[in-house]
Amino acid sequence: MGYLAKRTFKEQIDERTITLLNVYFLQVFLTFWGLLLHPVDITLVYAPGIYLVIVVLVLVLSALFAAKLFAHKKEYSIAMVASVIGNTGNLGIPLNIAIFGEASIPYTTVVNLVNVFVVYTIGVYFYSRGNFDAKTSLKNILKLPILWTAIIAILLSINNYTPSDAVMNMLMMGAYASMTMQLFLFGIYMYDIQIRTINKKLIGWVMSLKFVILPLITFLVLYNLDVAPMIKGVIFIELLMPLAVANVNLASLYDCEPKLVTALVFISSVLFLGVIFLGVSILKYL
């Protein structure tokens, strides 16, 4: 629908307005709903802890090479962070349930929680750095209501707050509107994409980091840890998820080549259709 809308109305469709409405208003509902849907068990910190350590390792590795490979500031920002912002929620949680059953829900919930903070701290910082200095980029993190919404939702969940059906229905409507808006925006940017004009080196770097280097580092870390196989599997699958549409939201919000980021999200989603089968076959070796 986003693609058809942009094709029909061209410049009458304002991507910036849609981004602001989604990020500053509708995603507040999505964050609340997602974090209150399943209780957060703070005792399961080791699973998201491992996830976060692996993300940091990949970021350090990216920092060693990305600056040398990409001189353009915006391309450097994308190269640094795009691959670690995966679709751990809308895709990762149901996929893990399909593979490991409902016993995986507590672990996927807390891993997705960490990913939310990765997106709206590290993700915001690097996408903002495409146009702003370091100080302004740090301020941009604090300006986003999603981060504060997540903190409030976590505190409520830890204190065993159970929202009424009416509250959850209200949050769910806002959350679904947010997800629809994200995909609509994705379609809008898809309209103007020309894969042939995109920096092939950047495509190769992000896809290699996402589907080769990141899984390899994850496998090496998990293989040497004494953790339950299911927990290892959940972490591995979550880190294997394709690039999240949240990348497009942030790239659009901070004008950091959103069309290019949309292309990367699309390419990673297509590749994931084959990669996931290989990933599942590797689980027995963890």
Side-chain angles (χ1 to χ4, degrees):
M1 290 179 62
Y3 178 91
L4 292 175
K6 186 65 175 178
R7 181 176 180 178
T8 303
F9 298 104
K10 302 293 192 299
E11 298 306 319
Q12 295 180 62
I13 299 291
D14 185 10
E15 299 92 333
R16 181 70 177 172
T17 299
I18 294 173
T19 299
L20 292 174
L21 286 171
N22 191 28
V23 172
Y24 283 95
F25 294 96
L26 292 177
Q27 287 207 356
V28 171
F29 290 90
L30 178 61
T31 304
F32 254 118
W33 178 72
L35 295 179
L36 293 177
L37 192 60
H38 301 291
V40 175
D41 189 346
I42 201 66
T43 63
L44 303 177
V45 293
Y46 50 89
I50 296 169
Y51 178 94
L52 184 59
V53 167
I54 294 171
V55 166
V56 171
L57 287 175
V58 173
L59 286 172
V60 171
L61 182 65
S62 295
L64 295 175
F65 297 99
K68 298 178 182 178
L69 292 172
F70 305 101
H72 192 282
K73 195 174 181 181
K74 293 183 179 181
E75 289 187 348
Y76 167 76
S77 293
I78 296 168
M80 276 294 300
V81 78
S83 63
V84 299
I85 300 181
N87 192 350
T88 60
N90 297 333
L91 181 59
I93 291 177
L95 187 56
N96 272 291
I97 292 173
I99 297 172
F100 302 106
E102 293 188 358
S104 66
I105 291 176
Y107 301 101
T108 54
T109 300
V110 289
V111 167
N112 185 55
L113 174 61
V114 169
N115 189 58
V116 169
F117 280 94
V118 169
V119 172
Y120 294 108
T121 53
I122 297 172
V124 168
Y125 176 80
F126 278 106
Y127 278 117
S128 182
R129 285 287 284 138
N131 275 311
F132 302 98
D133 58 26
K135 184 178 180 180
T136 304
S137 296
L138 290 172
K139 288 181 179 179
N140 286 338
I141 295 173
L142 300 177
K143 288 180 181 178
L144 282 184
I146 302 169
L147 184 63
W148 303 108
T149 301
I151 292 172
I152 294 171
I154 292 166
L155 292 174
L156 290 172
S157 184
I158 291 173
N159 286 280
N160 300 314
Y161 168 71
T162 303
S164 65
D165 290 341
V167 171
M168 284 303 288
N169 286 336
M170 177 193 70
L171 294 174
M172 182 176 67
M173 286 189 290
Y176 283 177
S178 176
M179 288 186 280
T180 301
M181 194 74 82
Q182 287 186 63
L183 295 175
F184 192 85
L185 184 65
F186 182 78
I188 289 173
Y189 282 121
M190 281 290 293
Y191 172 74
D192 287 325
I193 288 177
Q194 294 181 341
I195 299 294
R196 288 172 294 180
T197 64
I198 297 174
N199 185 337
K200 302 301 188 297
K201 184 167 63 174
L202 182 60
I203 295 176
W205 169 260
V206 173
M207 295 306 124
S208 297
L209 202 60
K210 175 78 254 186
F211 293 124
V212 179
I213 299 172
L214 179 55
L216 180 60
I217 291 174
T218 303
F219 181 87
L220 293 175
V221 171
L222 294 175
Y223 185 80
N224 290 285
L225 291 178
D226 185 18
V227 179
M230 184 187 72
I231 299 174
K232 288 184 178 182
V234 166
I235 296 170
F236 186 82
I237 293 297
E238 289 284 53
L239 284 163
L240 198 61
M241 291 298 103
L243 273 61
V245 178
N247 284 284
V248 179
N249 289 335
L250 296 181
S252 176
L253 184 62
Y254 300 113
D255 191 26
C256 188
E257 301 288 356
K259 294 176 184 178
L260 169 57
V261 173
T262 299
L264 292 172
V265 172
F266 177 75
I267 293 169
S268 74
S269 299
V270 173
L271 292 177
F272 179 75
L273 297 176
V275 169
I276 184 57
F277 292 101
L278 179 60
V280 171
S281 68
I282 291 173
L283 293 177
K284 61 185 176 182
Y285 298 107
L286 288 174

